[in-house]
Every structure is written in structure tokens, then in C-alpha cells.
Amino acid sequence: LREKFLLSLIDNSVPKLELGERLEFLGLDLPVEASYWVIVISVDDLAEVMASRSERDRQLLWYSVLNICQELIATHLGGYAFEHRNGEFVGVLRMDMEGDNAPDAAEALFALAGDIRDNLERWLKISVTIGISDRVAALSHLAHSYKQAREAADHKWYLGKNRIITMDSLEIPETDASSINRYDLAHNELLISALKAADPDKLREVLDHIFTDLSRNRRDGLKYGRNVCLQIVLAVGQLLLELNAQSSELEGAESLLWEALFEQETLGEMRQLIESHLSAVCERIREKRTGKVANLVERVRTIIEQSYADGGLTVADIGKAVYLTPTYVSLLFKQETGQTVNEYLTQVRVDKAKELLRDPQYKFYDICYAIGYTDPSYFTKLFKKATGVTPSVYRDNYV
């Protein structure tokens, strides 16, 4: 009955006229007019805490948390602790204030919150974030205090876990309050560009900008940050489909990521998840691109080695054979080998000419035609440029 009454106080569902009568009946030491604060003790990593324990162990854990909180509240100040919802405990604190001793009250509140946090970590091995409300002067105002304390505790999404958070730390500067930043979809384009280039440094730089902006949007809270992360995951998934770079591993990781984002309690944790996923995607795209390019280069070389005797062989012909434009083939081949396609074609022809020149039975003009040249003088110039000697000098030196 006491717990039900305390819950009704923070939900603002107790008529003021009935307060005194109910307090007397329940034997609660809570004057109708006094100085009150509310603290909210929020268990960090709740999903993990729940998943790692059986139902029996969970109930024993919550019972232990409540006992520790109540004992420390009674030791430091006065008041009552109760469980409000799964993983959230509320403390209604009372202090007799004489004159202007607000600094003493603040010191006592921080000392209590610090002891609760430290003891829960020491004895139960759990981390908590504690939100502290402003002072109110009547029991009927506890609903407002609870709302403040809950808001403070919820702001661990950007301030971090395992903290004691007061309303003062949530004040938004006027500049931030009047101009709340919204997620710029141009960031998605920059992310996609970095992924296409398989550039992890650029990727981290863009993520830094995104999450720095998100941390300024204090009014939007964790939900807005999560929605932005989901937008990023969708955009990256679309890119993988467009590049035909999806894999069963990445698909599985993406499914787990969707679930994990809803379990995270801070922006920093979501940043780690997103960065880890994008790094894996970046690596996948790099492997895919490198593999494609290596395969393309090998195909171009094979075509040249099989068709070098064709004097009419051009880069356009090679592009048609590999289903790419001549410009794109030339660009990729040059990037990967350091040679143009025509330079490689000339190298193959010269190497073949050297091989034939070593055999005296082949006439010079036969060799010229055999490697794709119809003009012996032009071939002589190319050969000398490549080897430093003319074909005839090469043959004489070899023989």
C-alpha cells in the first residue's frame, strides 16, 4: 500500500485533500509541506543486465537494489525508495531546511547519490545513472520533481552513463535553444562517397561531424539520434545493393545492428556500432573493387596476349570485349599497372619480336607482320625506343 501511494504521488493522481489522511493511515513520515527532492536511479545497460540473468536472479537483483537505496536514503537524509518500472528506482527525499542552506542540501544530495552509485557497483556489479530534481516545497509537487529527475537521468544519452545528473547540467544555451540543428542529408552523400572510395579516414571524419551535431540536439534526445543512425544504415544497405557487394555476413550484421541500436542508451554507443558496421562495409567494397579491377586487368592482358598479332587491335576493341568503355578500361588499367593499355600492347609485341629475332629462320619483315605491324620502319623505331637498339643490332648481339 505504501508503494502504491508513493507511485501515485509521482503520477500526480492523489487528491490534495486526501494526502494527510493517507499519510497518517500508511504511517509515512512525509509532511504535506516540506522541502522535497526526487532522485531517479536508472540501471545502465538494462538489456544486457536482463539478458544475462534468469527471472529469479532479476527479481533478487531488483530487491537488493531497493534495499541498498532505502538504507542509504535513511542514513543520509530521510525518505523512501521504491521501484517504478523495470530497471528504474525512485527516491523521495525529505530534508528539514532552516534558513538559506541550499548549498548544504546540494552537498547532501550528491553525497547520497554518490554512495548509491558506488555501493551498487561494489556489491551488485551494476552501473547506474542518477538524475536529481530541483527542490519543491510541498508533497503535492512531487510529480513535477519526478519528471525533472527522470529527464535528467534520461540525458545519459549524450552525457554518458554512470553519472549523477542534475537539472543544472541540462540547461541549453540560448543559441542552441533558438536554432536546433537538424540532420543534414548531405552527410549521407559524404558517407556514401567515402564508402565508394573505400576511404576509412574520410569515413571517420564524416561520422565525427554527424555525431558532433547530434550531441548538440539535446532537446531531440536519444530517439532522434537513433533515427539518424537508422537512416545511415538504410542508405548504406542501398549502396551495397547498387554495387552488388552485399554478402550474407553483412546482411546478418545489418539485422543485428537494427536490434542493437534500440538497446543502446547513449549516443557514443550508437556511434561505435555504426562505425564498426561502416568499417566492415568499407572493407567489403574495397575487396570487391580490388577483385574486380584485378580481374579486369587480367582479362585485358589475356586479350592482348591472344590478339597482339592483329594490327587493327584498339582500346575500343578491348573495351567491347570486357563490356566497358575505352576510357574506363584505360583509367583502371593505368591505375593498377602504371602503364596505359597501348604501352602494354607495345611491350607484348616487342617481347614477342625479341623471341622471334633470336631465331635466324625468321625474316625481319615476317617478324614485323607477325606481331601486328605493317610498316617495318615504324616497328624499328618502336623497338629501338623500347630496347635501345634496332632489331638488326639486337639479332646480331644475340646471335
mmCIF file of all heavy atoms in Angstrom, residues 45-54 57-58:
data_model
loop_
_atom_site.group_PDB
_atom_site.id
_atom_site.type_symbol
_atom_site.label_atom_id
_atom_site.label_comp_id
_atom_site.label_asym_id
_atom_site.label_seq_id
_atom_site.Cartn_x
_atom_site.Cartn_y
_atom_site.Cartn_z
ATOM 1 N N ASP A 45 22.791 -0.151 -19.164
ATOM 2 C CA ASP A 45 22.900 -1.406 -19.937
ATOM 3 C C ASP A 45 21.817 -2.391 -19.516
ATOM 4 O O ASP A 45 22.076 -3.579 -19.283
ATOM 5 C CB ASP A 45 24.285 -2.037 -19.759
ATOM 6 C CG ASP A 45 25.409 -1.095 -20.157
ATOM 7 O OD1 ASP A 45 25.343 -0.549 -21.263
ATOM 8 O OD2 ASP A 45 26.330 -0.899 -19.348
ATOM 9 N N LEU A 46 20.587 -1.889 -19.435
ATOM 10 C CA LEU A 46 19.495 -2.708 -18.914
ATOM 11 C C LEU A 46 19.279 -3.978 -19.726
ATOM 12 O O LEU A 46 19.056 -5.061 -19.160
ATOM 13 C CB LEU A 46 18.199 -1.879 -18.888
ATOM 14 C CG LEU A 46 16.963 -2.589 -18.334
ATOM 15 C CD1 LEU A 46 17.203 -3.038 -16.898
ATOM 16 C CD2 LEU A 46 15.740 -1.683 -18.423
ATOM 17 N N ALA A 47 19.335 -3.872 -21.044
ATOM 18 C CA ALA A 47 19.111 -5.051 -21.886
ATOM 19 C C ALA A 47 20.122 -6.146 -21.569
ATOM 20 O O ALA A 47 19.784 -7.330 -21.488
ATOM 21 C CB ALA A 47 19.192 -4.657 -23.365
ATOM 22 N N GLU A 48 21.362 -5.749 -21.372
ATOM 23 C CA GLU A 48 22.421 -6.714 -21.062
ATOM 24 C C GLU A 48 22.227 -7.306 -19.663
ATOM 25 O O GLU A 48 22.400 -8.510 -19.451
ATOM 26 C CB GLU A 48 23.780 -6.022 -21.153
ATOM 27 C CG GLU A 48 24.963 -6.938 -20.912
ATOM 28 C CD GLU A 48 26.284 -6.200 -20.988
ATOM 29 O OE1 GLU A 48 26.364 -5.225 -21.758
ATOM 30 O OE2 GLU A 48 27.221 -6.602 -20.276
ATOM 31 N N VAL A 49 21.863 -6.461 -18.711
ATOM 32 C CA VAL A 49 21.620 -6.933 -17.338
ATOM 33 C C VAL A 49 20.481 -7.941 -17.317
ATOM 34 O O VAL A 49 20.549 -8.982 -16.649
ATOM 35 C CB VAL A 49 21.300 -5.736 -16.408
ATOM 36 C CG1 VAL A 49 20.798 -6.224 -15.053
ATOM 37 C CG2 VAL A 49 22.533 -4.855 -16.227
ATOM 38 N N MET A 50 19.430 -7.655 -18.080
ATOM 39 C CA MET A 50 18.276 -8.551 -18.120
ATOM 40 C C MET A 50 18.609 -9.861 -18.825
ATOM 41 O O MET A 50 18.232 -10.945 -18.368
ATOM 42 C CB MET A 50 17.119 -7.857 -18.850
ATOM 43 C CG MET A 50 16.591 -6.626 -18.156
ATOM 44 S SD MET A 50 15.598 -7.011 -16.711
ATOM 45 C CE MET A 50 14.114 -7.601 -17.507
ATOM 46 N N ALA A 51 19.322 -9.760 -19.927
ATOM 47 C CA ALA A 51 19.595 -10.949 -20.743
ATOM 48 C C ALA A 51 20.515 -11.941 -20.039
ATOM 49 O O ALA A 51 20.456 -13.142 -20.302
ATOM 50 C CB ALA A 51 20.192 -10.527 -22.078
ATOM 51 N N SER A 52 21.380 -11.449 -19.162
ATOM 52 C CA SER A 52 22.386 -12.312 -18.541
ATOM 53 C C SER A 52 21.893 -12.968 -17.244
ATOM 54 O O SER A 52 22.655 -13.671 -16.590
ATOM 55 C CB SER A 52 23.650 -11.496 -18.246
ATOM 56 O OG SER A 52 23.377 -10.444 -17.326
ATOM 57 N N ARG A 53 20.604 -12.737 -16.904
ATOM 58 C CA ARG A 53 20.089 -13.291 -15.640
ATOM 59 C C ARG A 53 18.763 -14.005 -15.861
ATOM 60 O O ARG A 53 17.977 -13.638 -16.740
ATOM 61 C CB ARG A 53 19.889 -12.172 -14.604
ATOM 62 C CG ARG A 53 21.189 -11.576 -14.074
ATOM 63 C CD ARG A 53 20.910 -10.343 -13.219
ATOM 64 N NE ARG A 53 22.118 -9.892 -12.514
ATOM 65 C CZ ARG A 53 23.065 -9.160 -13.073
ATOM 66 N NH1 ARG A 53 22.964 -8.805 -14.338
ATOM 67 N NH2 ARG A 53 24.122 -8.787 -12.364
ATOM 68 N N SER A 54 18.516 -15.003 -15.031
ATOM 69 C CA SER A 54 17.217 -15.665 -15.040
ATOM 70 C C SER A 54 16.197 -14.746 -14.375
ATOM 71 O O SER A 54 16.564 -13.753 -13.729
ATOM 72 C CB SER A 54 17.293 -16.985 -14.276
ATOM 73 O OG SER A 54 17.555 -16.735 -12.892
ATOM 74 N N ASP A 57 16.857 -14.462 -10.714
ATOM 75 C CA ASP A 57 18.014 -13.611 -10.397
ATOM 76 C C ASP A 57 17.699 -12.130 -10.607
ATOM 77 O O ASP A 57 18.200 -11.267 -9.881
ATOM 78 C CB ASP A 57 19.214 -14.018 -11.256
ATOM 79 C CG ASP A 57 19.806 -15.343 -10.811
ATOM 80 O OD1 ASP A 57 19.516 -15.754 -9.681
ATOM 81 O OD2 ASP A 57 20.540 -15.962 -11.606
ATOM 82 N N ARG A 58 16.856 -11.844 -11.587
ATOM 83 C CA ARG A 58 16.474 -10.446 -11.822
ATOM 84 C C ARG A 58 15.698 -9.901 -10.624
ATOM 85 O O ARG A 58 15.953 -8.790 -10.155
ATOM 86 C CB ARG A 58 15.597 -10.335 -13.072
ATOM 87 C CG ARG A 58 16.305 -10.599 -14.383
ATOM 88 C CD ARG A 58 15.284 -10.610 -15.509
ATOM 89 N NE ARG A 58 15.795 -11.276 -16.703
ATOM 90 C CZ ARG A 58 15.029 -11.748 -17.680
ATOM 91 N NH1 ARG A 58 13.722 -11.626 -17.598
ATOM 92 N NH2 ARG A 58 15.576 -12.339 -18.718
#
